[in-house]
Amino acid sequence: MSSREVSDPNCLRHFGGTGVSLEKLNSIIKAITTLPDDFNLNPKLNKFIEYRKDFLTKNIPVDWSLAETLAFGSLLLEDNPIRLSGQDSTRGTFSQRHIVLTDVNDGKEIILLNNINENQAKIEPLDSLLSEAAVLGFEYGYSVADPVTLVIWEAQFGDFANAAQVIIDNF
């Protein structure tokens, strides 16, 4: 365990005043960079995982996708379930998110954010169809039926939101 993992206040300069302890952030990083021994990650993603691991021992800048992942992880640890849907939400539109990882040999999928600890809430990332009004309408209904879950509909581009404008205007 490096001293930065526990006590270096300078590493929080990337986060400002989030109120999330460095210990909690480190536990999230460890979870999202620890793959099962029998999992065969796409070799193109090794650098992605290694960059995130560097947060534990190096003074790296935190990019948008890592900040988002840490935010999701901290909410899950506070027992707040998350449902994220959109056209390419599991991978991220520009390959920046990778919430769901797929074994290149057998197609098995894992969600590392769901393995931070055994008493956490879960994230449910979903790739939706391109019927924005239907998807947003469903997700709005889901949020009303389950007000405890943070329900996020991700419209990657403005025209997606425009296609769902009737739902936005009415609800």
Side-chain angles (χ1 to χ4, degrees), residues 95-164:
S95 300
Q96 86 285 0
R97 181 176 289 138
H98 299 292
I99 288 178
V100 177
L101 298 174
T102 305
D103 187 301
V104 294
N105 291 343
D106 63 16
K108 179 177 67 175
E109 296 182 337
I110 59 170
I111 302 171
L112 296 173
L113 275 171
N114 284 339
N115 298 309
I116 303 168
N117 75 38
E118 56 196 40
N119 298 318
Q120 71 174 71
K122 301 296 182 194
I123 187 167
E124 182 182 16
L126 303 157
D127 291 334
S128 64
L129 66 156
L130 283 175
S131 178
E132 290 81 10
V135 173
L136 180 56
F138 180 87
E139 298 302 339
Y140 171 73
Y142 194 103
S143 72
V144 171
D146 184 3
V148 173
T149 297
L150 172 61
V151 178
I152 304 168
W153 173 62
E154 181 177 54
Q156 287 97 345
F157 303 102
D159 57 331
F160 289 7
N162 292 342

Side-chain angles (χ1 to χ4, degrees), residues 13 18 52-53 59-60 69 78 92 96-97 103 118 123-126 155:
R13 69 178 165 66
T18 66
R52 289 182 166 194
K53 271 185 192 175
N59 191 13
I60 65 163
T69 300
E78 293 171 356
Q96 86 285 0
R97 181 176 289 138
D103 187 301
E118 56 196 40
I123 187 167
E124 182 182 16
L126 303 157

Side-chain angles (χ1 to χ4, degrees), residues 2-152:
S2 76
S3 61
R4 180 167 185 255
E5 286 182 60
V6 178
S7 63
D8 183 358
N10 292 323
C11 69
L12 287 178
R13 69 178 165 66
H14 299 292
F15 294 96
T18 66
V20 178
S21 72
L22 183 57
E23 183 179 4
K24 187 179 282 190
L25 295 174
N26 284 327
S27 71
I28 296 166
I29 292 290
K30 286 177 186 174
I32 64 170
T33 60
T34 304
L35 297 164
D37 291 336
D38 64 342
F39 191 83
N40 301 290
L41 183 66
N42 183 323
K44 293 178 183 179
L45 294 179
N46 285 328
K47 186 175 181 180
F48 175 82
I49 295 293
E50 290 304 314
Y51 178 81
R52 289 182 166 194
K53 271 185 192 175
D54 284 347
F55 178 82
L56 295 171
T57 58
K58 298 178 183 171
N59 191 13
I60 65 163
V62 175
D63 61 20
W64 174 261
S65 70
L66 180 54
E68 177 189 69
T69 300
L70 291 169
F72 286 160
S74 68
L75 288 169
L76 297 171
L77 288 173
E78 293 171 356
D79 206 26
N80 296 298
I82 303 170
R83 178 181 170 90
L84 172 67
S85 71
Q87 179 189 1
D88 194 10
S89 291
T90 62
R91 181 181 63 107
T93 303
F94 301 105
S95 300
Q96 86 285 0
R97 181 176 289 138
H98 299 292
I99 288 178
V100 177
L101 298 174
T102 305
D103 187 301
V104 294
N105 291 343
D106 63 16
K108 179 177 67 175
E109 296 182 337
I110 59 170
I111 302 171
L112 296 173
L113 275 171
N114 284 339
N115 298 309
I116 303 168
N117 75 38
E118 56 196 40
N119 298 318
Q120 71 174 71
K122 301 296 182 194
I123 187 167
E124 182 182 16
L126 303 157
D127 291 334
S128 64
L129 66 156
L130 283 175
S131 178
E132 290 81 10
V135 173
L136 180 56
F138 180 87
E139 298 302 339
Y140 171 73
Y142 194 103
S143 72
V144 171
D146 184 3
V148 173
T149 297
L150 172 61
V151 178
I152 304 168

